Amino acid sequence: MSSSFTPFNRILMGPGPSNVNPKVLQALSKPALGHLDPQFIGLMDEIKDLLRYTFKTENEATFVLSGPGSLGMEACLVNLIHPGDKVIVCVGGYFANRMTQIVEKIGGNLVTVKETWGRAIDPENLEHSLKQNPDTKVVAFVHAETSTGALSDIKTLSGIAHKYGAFVIADTVTSLGAVEVRIDEWKIDAAYSCSQKGLACVAGMSPITFSQHAVEFIKNRKIPVQSWFNDLNLLLSYWNGPGKRAYHHTAPSNQFYGLHEALLLLKEEGIENSWQRHKENSVKLILRLKELGLEPLVPENERIPNLLTIKIPHGVDELKVRTELLNKHNLEIGAGLGELAGKVWRIGLMGYNSNEKMIDYCIGAFKDVLK
Ligand SMILES: *Cc1c(COP(=O)(O)O)cnc(C)c1O
């Protein structure tokens, strides 16, 4: 006989998901609502407002896709790229690589600006590439490259891309909520995120925002968007306008209650305070890790505060350490991805987990396992 599933109560300090505020977990278990129920439409409108606060934007087309961050990545790219369009992707890690795979699948003419894994994208390299490719339609980059721990200056990158008349797509999957993001001020045309990293909710939702300029372009495309689910024109028929909402897909109502609660908690704290908290706790964790002889991969002014990559010391069996942290201390941290597999650990201090208690716990566990 099987019985109800009871998950371990893990301490999640990897690259996401991280532990979720109990208030958010409670919100998830409230009664379901239909996806066109007037009360649910009201909730959707509140989520849109809360997301505009979080993204720092006035964009009307700001909403949530019912799927993980990768769905948002595909949505931004597929709506703004026609087959044959020249697209520059700045690649300094695994997630920007995923962007290039999507660009190729939808028939974009891909140009990459390569960066060393573990470093912020060099704006001069983007400028150089745009000079050689002045016909570029879209420039895409990752703000916080979770695979390497490097944070890029997307304000500067966006400014350069606009000088050459390109649309700008930014991945804010790990940064949104934990690191300064200003969609309007930085003139980002399309951005996407996820629910389980900087926003500290459960996985499976992708907040997304499009500028008015991008929406106009998408409405007037000559070749229709090459995706049914992710066609912004269809999605907006469900998400936009007072009253006249049309069924597009069955939105996961309980998931949305959780996201609403997570966004509300963030607004109650004040988003600038959240950015500050993540920065301060990151500095504290790095200092304590250094005392144990553990060194960060990324230079100080290029680090993602809520996701640190730590170099694995010479002669240490990295898998054994992670296994012991999990089995003995109930603590999950992340392994290296792609080029950095076997070379780094990834430690997340996100949302509900970004506090001194978690820092103490993590340091205590590392001390025990490394001795
Ligand atoms: C996690 C992540 C993604 C993918 O998000 P999923 O929710 O796992 O689909 C995309 N970009 C970055 C930078 C990420 O960290």
Side-chain angles (χ1 to χ4, degrees):
M1 277 290 284
S2 57
S3 56
S4 298
F5 178 68
T6 308
F8 297 129
N9 199 359
R10 296 280 197 214
I11 294 167
L12 300 173
M13 292 182 79
S18 48
N19 296 98
V20 174
N21 191 309
K23 286 185 187 165
V24 173
L25 294 177
Q26 260 170 23
L28 291 165
S29 65
K30 289 178 181 172
L33 275 174
H35 56 281
L36 289 171
D37 189 297
Q39 196 196 12
F40 189 64
I41 304 275
L43 174 77
M44 290 165 74
D45 286 341
E46 282 191 29
I47 289 175
K48 282 164 65 176
D49 275 341
L50 287 165
L51 281 176
R52 278 191 273 265
Y53 169 79
T54 310
F55 271 122
K56 295 255 177 219
T57 182
E58 302 286 321
N59 287 342
E60 181 59 32
T62 302
F63 58 100
V64 191
L65 295 174
S66 308
S70 305
L71 188 69
M73 183 188 284
E74 198 155 79
C76 288
L77 294 166
V78 80
N79 277 285
L80 285 173
I81 298 170
H82 281 103
D85 278 358
K86 195 171 267 185
V87 180
I88 294 183
V89 181
C90 303
V91 182
Y94 178 93
F95 289 105
N97 251 340
R98 183 172 290 179
M99 283 179 147
T100 69
Q101 289 166 8
I102 296 174
V103 169
E104 287 186 325
K105 275 190 191 288
I106 59 186
N109 177 2
L110 174 70
V111 175
T112 54
V113 170
K114 289 210 168 68
E115 189 51 71
T116 309
W117 284 41
R119 296 303 304 268
I121 303 297
D122 183 345
E124 278 182 27
N125 289 342
L126 173 61
E127 179 117 42
H128 180 71
S129 182
L130 278 162
K131 271 192 191 131
Q132 289 185 324
N133 300 281
D135 54 337
T136 296
K137 297 282 172 32
V138 171
V139 170
F141 38 71
V142 174
H143 187 201
E145 181 48 83
T146 324
S147 62
T148 69
L151 185 72
S152 286
D153 174 2
I154 65 169
K155 179 188 180 185
T156 300
L157 296 174
S158 175
I160 293 168
H162 282 300
K163 272 206 305 200
Y164 294 82
F167 278 119
V168 169
I169 298 177
D171 174 313
T172 60
V173 169
T174 289
S175 51
L176 188 70
V179 183
E180 183 176 13
V181 170
R182 298 181 185 274
I183 296 300
D184 287 1
E185 208 180 303
W186 299 349
K187 298 192 167 51
I188 308 289
D189 293 291
Y192 57 92
S193 190
C194 75
S195 42
Q196 78 275 16
K197 296 183 189 175
L199 296 182
C201 188
V202 293
M205 290 163 284
S206 179
I208 192 163
T209 185
F210 290 90
S211 70
Q212 198 50 41
H213 180 42
V215 173
E216 290 303 322
F217 172 84
I218 295 161
K219 275 190 181 151
N220 295 306
R221 277 180 63 122
K222 292 194 184 67
I223 302 167
V225 177
Q226 292 166 292
S227 162
W228 179 84
F229 190 83
N230 264 338
D231 182 340
L232 184 72
N233 299 305
L234 302 178
L235 284 161
L236 288 183
S237 67
Y238 180 44
W239 275 95
N240 259 22
K244 51 175 179 18
R245 306 295 175 92
Y247 163 71
H248 176 265
H249 67 279
T250 310
S253 58
N254 293 56
Q255 294 271 100
F256 283 17
Y257 308 158
L259 182 63
H260 180 268
E261 190 65 27
L263 293 171
L264 204 59
L265 288 166
L266 189 58
K267 192 173 179 189
E268 277 169 13
E269 177 180 12
I271 192 154
E272 287 83 0
N273 296 332
S274 174
W275 299 340
Q276 187 62 25
R277 173 168 58 91
H278 283 89
K279 199 180 268 178
E280 285 171 7
N281 287 325
S282 161
V283 171
K284 284 180 197 158
L285 178 59
I286 290 274
L287 280 176
R288 303 275 304 274
L289 287 167
K290 282 186 171 170
E291 286 168 13
L292 300 182
L294 298 172
E295 289 294 328
L297 174 78
V298 179
E300 189 176 352
N301 56 351
E302 297 177 9
R303 271 176 218 151
I304 307 173
N306 49 325
L307 193 276
L308 304 170
T309 40
I310 303 298
K311 290 190 248 180
I312 292 158
H314 197 66
V316 168
D317 179 344
E318 82 84 16
L319 177 62
K320 192 159 168 249
V321 170
R322 278 190 298 116
T323 308
E324 269 190 39
L325 287 172
L326 190 69
N327 293 340
K328 218 172 142 194
H329 294 277
N330 203 29
L331 174 65
E332 180 186 278
I333 63 162
L337 265 186
E339 277 183 29
L340 293 174
K343 296 183 180 149
V344 295
W345 289 306
R346 294 182 300 151
I347 305 180
L349 264 187
M350 300 195 195
Y352 188 60
N353 276 358
S354 176
N355 60 56
E356 299 241 7
K357 218 176 100 190
M358 284 296 172
I359 296 173
D360 287 343
Y361 191 86
C362 174
I363 294 297
F366 261 101
K367 247 187 201 156
D368 178 55
V369 167
L370 288 175
K371 77 171 186 265

